[in-house]
Amino acid sequence: FRRAAMRKAEEGLVSMCEERARMLQDQFAVSVNHVHALAILVATFHYEKHPPALDQDTFADYTARTSFERPLLSGVAYAQRVVHADRESFERQQGWIIKTMKHEPSPVQDEYAPVIYSQETVSYIEGLDMMSGEEDRENILRSRASGKAVLTRPFRLMSNHLGVVLTFPVYRDDLPSDAKEEDRVTATAGYLGGAFDVESLVENLLRQLAGNQELVVNVYDVTNNSNPLVMYGSEVPLGNPSPSHICMLDFGDPYRKHHMICRYRNKP
Ligand code: WA2
């Protein structure tokens, strides 16, 4: 009888974990797809119309009304690429100076990525150079070189919640589709991205599922297999003997690997 009960518990663990992994991956994927569409919106209305047919109010309105399409993102924003030679005219035109993510006036840099459009939920990044944060900067460089969506490792967002940042590059309209890395960098106009507030929005998602009380769910960035980084959940003490199940996750950035580990809260 005991073995049958154990097997039943194990099957339950596997199916609950797979359900959660599938839900998380799906909600992640729809959010990424919609950010992709926003990158195209900026390319179309900011860069392919002269003068630009987009402004902060329009961007804020559109992103607020479509936020249901991005269930795991706390907010999206557009940061423009500004090279140092253009800094002065950019600041004069905007009427504000570029600040670092520590809210200090930006020191001289080769280039900057100040946020010019933002969803109201992340309005605190308006005017900040997103290249002044290590994780955001790495994302910006990797996205523009590849032309693809990229994710940061998990880190404390400016909201103070644990999460990851998603970045899509936006290019000027003269970039050929078979462009080399070098041409991509030169043709970069800016970066459309958003913050996955994993800590609070994934909590919300899991709370709605049956069995939430009995299950402990952890998500890890295992890009570096010997140094797993917690992306969601609390650290489980090493040597925890209770049975666990691991589900692979695909968040769409082939450079990063993630997985979910589920356990019963109390040993079955
Ligand atoms: N957005 C919101 N909160 C953050 C954050 C971020 N980055 N970084 C740290 N906390 C405009 O890649 C371009 C958004 C960065 C995009």
Side-chain angles (χ1 to χ4, degrees), residues 25-236:
Q25 193 175 293
D26 289 352
Q27 295 224 3
F28 214 92
V30 298
S31 303
V32 171
N33 283 345
H34 200 260
V35 174
H36 191 176
L38 285 174
I40 295 169
L41 177 120
V42 169
T44 307
F45 293 100
H46 188 88
Y47 293 104
E48 290 165 32
K49 296 258 183 243
H50 306 281
L54 193 56
D55 58 22
Q56 167 58 26
D57 285 350
T58 310
F59 187 87
D61 183 48
Y62 185 78
T63 53
R65 291 166 65 189
T66 55
S67 62
F68 68 91
E69 301 265 25
R70 305 177 300 273
L72 296 179
L73 284 162
S74 58
V76 291
Y78 178 68
Q80 185 170 313
R81 180 184 192 208
V82 177
V83 296
H84 185 69
D86 297 337
R87 176 175 178 172
E88 228 185 88
S89 69
F90 172 83
E91 290 180 334
R92 193 163 351 96
Q93 194 193 337
Q94 297 287 328
W96 44 258
I97 63 162
I98 301 172
K99 288 176 280 334
T100 68
M101 286 165 76
K102 290 178 175 149
H103 298 97
E104 289 151 347
S106 175
V108 172
Q109 303 286 352
D110 290 347
E111 58 175 304
Y112 314 83
V115 170
I116 60 166
Y117 298 144
S118 62
Q119 190 175 339
E120 264 170 75
T121 49
V122 291
S123 59
Y124 47 80
I125 62 172
E126 184 97 344
L128 305 186
D129 172 18
M130 299 317 284
M131 289 181 103
S132 64
E134 188 188 342
E135 295 84 0
D136 275 283
R137 178 189 178 83
E138 281 174 12
N139 240 28
I140 283 170
L141 298 178
R142 205 155 62 81
S143 75
R144 75 184 187 187
S146 67
K148 304 240 161 66
V150 300
L151 294 171
T152 63
R153 63 171 173 262
F155 71 109
R156 292 255 152 228
L157 303 168
M158 290 181 76
S159 63
N160 211 32
H161 288 158
L162 192 60
V164 298
V165 168
L166 165 73
T167 303
F168 271 95
V170 174
Y171 299 103
R172 294 195 311 267
D173 55 5
D174 54 0
L175 183 75
S177 57
D178 61 347
K180 306 216 182 349
E181 188 174 316
E182 223 178 74
D183 306 325
R184 292 193 172 279
V185 175
T186 335
T188 300
Y191 321 95
L192 198 295
F196 279 99
D197 187 327
V198 176
E199 189 167 346
S200 67
L201 297 177
V202 172
E203 184 75 45
N204 242 323
L205 179 72
L206 296 179
R207 212 183 9 240
Q208 296 163 19
L209 299 176
N212 178 46
Q213 295 302 322
E214 42 180 324
L215 210 64
V216 179
V217 176
N218 282 273
V219 177
Y220 294 91
D221 178 325
V222 287
T223 306
N224 176 355
N225 224 324
S226 55
N227 181 29
L229 306 171
V230 180
M231 182 160 158
Y232 173 77
S234 48
E235 201 88 55
V236 178

Side-chain angles (χ1 to χ4, degrees), residues 212-217 240 242 263-268:
N212 178 46
Q213 295 302 322
E214 42 180 324
L215 210 64
V216 179
V217 176
N240 188 323
S242 82
R263 295 183 163 74
Y264 283 113
R265 194 169 298 282
N266 303 303
K267 272 202 263 179

